[in-house]
Amino acid sequence: MIDRYREYLPVTERTPTISLGEGSTPLISCPRLSARVSRGCEVLVKYEGMNPTGSFKDRGMTLAVSKAAEQGAQALVCASTGNTSASAAAYAARAGIRCAVILPAGKIASGKLVQAYAYGAKVVAIEGNFDDALRVVRTLGERAGFAIVNSINPHRIAGQKTAAFEIVEELGEAPDVHLLPVGNAGNITAYWAGYQEFFRIGRATKHPVVIGFQAAGSAPIFRGQIVAQPETIASAIRIGNPASWESATQALRDSKGAIDIVTDEEILDAQQWLASHEGIFVEPASASSIAGLFKCIDPARKPAFGLSEIAEGSRIVCTVTGHGLKDPDAVRFYPASAIDPDEADVLRAIGF
Ligand code: F0G
């Protein structure tokens, strides 16, 4: 990713490239989603789960870890709801730098926790939530040798803006509307920075309207106040006091977009719908952009931004941030009991 977008990133010939081949993820045109939106609109899904550790975090991490290596960091540290820790651990291993990840105990999806251990990070669980973990990490970062690789590190945002670059390059223009999940609010900030940059240099002639979605039980930006005890099945966005709150608000304002909420039920329904209708399996937090799209096209649900306000034939991009395999326990299914390996029995079991 750094090599593809070198001219737009804060790297020099002295910066080592710590990469796992991240970025260049699929932008998938979705006919069934488009049909649901109707009015000649096309919906495309930016499938960030296809990054090397299974989430969009790798775009920011390749740059943050490359810069930390350049600056001689001895240890990387981050707070995380899971994906940042998996990504930090992988890129730290790649760089040969130690890594400690500070996680809310009992609230990390199993696939992500497995990754942190497998990549060899020091895993520290705290009695508290992500916001508590980030508070500790901010103070650790003041110690010599430690580099924070959360999105409060500006290199993370700079790396993540490349997702917007890829979308503009692939479409030949910015989309009309962009929907994405919001947790710590770094990614929405990064996309907006990317769209603005390509607009400024003439690579796009317009900006998209940006619409962010928080889970109803952890929606500080939507509610306009810190949520002390955030709760949601979408553990990746279980955040009550986002670090990039202000820049996200600015992005929403400048893009004439909106922030909205989706319930856990809507998130799980959208997750299942996207997997079974478009073949795209994402983790619950990621499905909030799809749940949000469904809300936006249903005036009865009083969306913060109704898509009836957009022109016919609009291009709508939904970012889905992490792979479904990250959080297998969130998927609702009822395993069938085993039967005899007999053709008639198997046909009966198939049922169609
Ligand atoms: N989707 C997924 C899958 C995430 O892991 C996150 C954030 C978000 C959306 C929200 O992005 O924070 O930039 O607004 N995960 C962080 C973590 C907090 O620690 O992995 P954001």
Side-chain angles (χ1 to χ4, degrees), residues 308-331:
S308 54
E309 294 170 38
I310 63 160
E312 286 191 11
S314 290
R315 274 200 293 210
I316 302 166
V317 173
C318 296
T319 293
V320 290
T321 43
H323 203 286
L325 292 173
K326 290 270 194 178
D327 191 359
D329 307 318
V331 180

Side-chain angles (χ1 to χ4, degrees), residues 56-57 79-85 112 130 160 181-188 236-237 239 283 285-286 321-322:
F56 72 99
K57 305 288 179 178
S80 184
T81 56
N83 282 321
T84 295
S85 56
K112 304 173 190 179
F130 170 84
Q160 283 171 213
V182 173
N184 214 22
N187 211 28
I188 194 167
I237 52 172
I239 294 174
E283 66 167 286
S286 310
T321 43

Side-chain angles (χ1 to χ4, degrees), residues 199-219:
F199 177 75
R200 263 198 314 270
I201 61 171
R203 301 284 302 267
T205 67
K206 61 185 179 190
H207 296 128
V209 167
V210 175
I211 313 174
F213 293 93
Q214 300 188 298
S218 15

Side-chain angles (χ1 to χ4, degrees), residues 12-327:
T12 67
E13 62 286 357
R14 288 188 311 282
T15 315
T17 303
I18 312 296
S19 173
L20 289 160
E22 60 292 316
S24 305
T25 55
L27 181 64
I28 305 170
S29 183
C30 291
R32 294 187 184 87
L33 267 181
S34 304
R36 271 188 80 155
V37 174
S38 74
R39 298 174 50 243
C41 293
E42 182 184 16
V43 181
L44 302 108
V45 165
K46 183 70 169 161
Y47 194 15
E48 289 288 277
M50 293 304 283
N51 276 297
T53 76
S55 87
F56 72 99
K57 305 288 179 178
D58 296 343
R59 290 181 184 277
M61 206 55 76
T62 182
L63 188 61
V65 176
S66 296
K67 295 300 285 186
E70 179 183 350
Q71 288 151 13
Q74 268 129 50
L76 306 182
V77 64
C78 68
S80 184
T81 56
N83 282 321
T84 295
S85 56
S87 186
Y91 285 81
R94 189 85 186 153
I97 303 176
R98 287 187 302 175
C99 178
V101 301
I102 319 300
L103 310 175
K107 296 294 184 184
I108 306 298
S110 59
K112 304 173 190 179
L113 199 54
V114 166
Q115 285 181 291
Y117 281 108
Y119 293 129
K122 180 75 189 178
V123 176
V124 179
I126 58 147
E127 295 292 350
N129 57 33
F130 170 84
D131 306 292
D132 300 315
L134 186 58
R135 202 170 48 242
V136 176
V137 164
R138 282 180 193 271
T139 60
L140 285 178
E142 287 163 17
R143 292 174 176 262
F146 275 109
I148 299 178
V149 292
N150 279 106
S151 57
I152 54 175
N153 176 336
H155 300 310
R156 280 277 315 279
I157 305 290
Q160 283 171 213
K161 74 183 176 183
T162 60
F165 293 170
E166 288 174 15
I167 291 166
V168 172
E169 284 182 346
E170 201 154 330
L171 298 179
E173 178 57 286
D176 299 291
V177 184
H178 193 125
L179 293 79
L180 76 171
V182 173
N184 214 22
N187 211 28
I188 194 167
T189 302
Y191 269 96
W192 185 242
Y195 282 127
Q196 276 185 306
E197 191 166 340
F198 263 27
F199 177 75
R200 263 198 314 270
I201 61 171
R203 301 284 302 267
T205 67
K206 61 185 179 190
H207 296 128
V209 167
V210 175
I211 313 174
F213 293 93
Q214 300 188 298
S218 15
I221 300 178
F222 177 80
R223 300 195 194 286
Q225 61 186 49
I226 292 171
V227 176
Q229 306 285 345
E231 271 314 333
T232 171
I233 183 93
S235 57
I237 52 172
R238 185 174 167 272
I239 294 174
N241 186 13
S244 299
W245 193 325
E246 257 175 54
S247 50
T249 307
Q250 185 78 37
L252 294 167
R253 196 182 310 124
D254 292 352
S255 80
K256 301 186 171 47
I259 187 87
D260 207 343
I261 51 171
V262 285
T263 65
D264 282 4
E265 197 57 33
E266 289 170 335
I267 286 172
L268 292 177
D269 285 349
Q271 180 195 32
Q272 206 152 38
W273 193 95
L274 188 67
S276 60
H277 289 80
E278 296 285 6
I280 303 171
F281 181 34
V282 304
E283 66 167 286
S286 310
S288 64
S289 61
I290 306 300
L293 177 68
F294 293 157
K295 184 171 182 180
C296 288
I297 58 175
D298 184 356
R301 310 238 304 271
K302 298 198 170 34
F305 189 100
L307 288 183
S308 54
E309 294 170 38
I310 63 160
E312 286 191 11
S314 290
R315 274 200 293 210
I316 302 166
V317 173
C318 296
T319 293
V320 290
T321 43
H323 203 286
L325 292 173
K326 290 270 194 178
D327 191 359

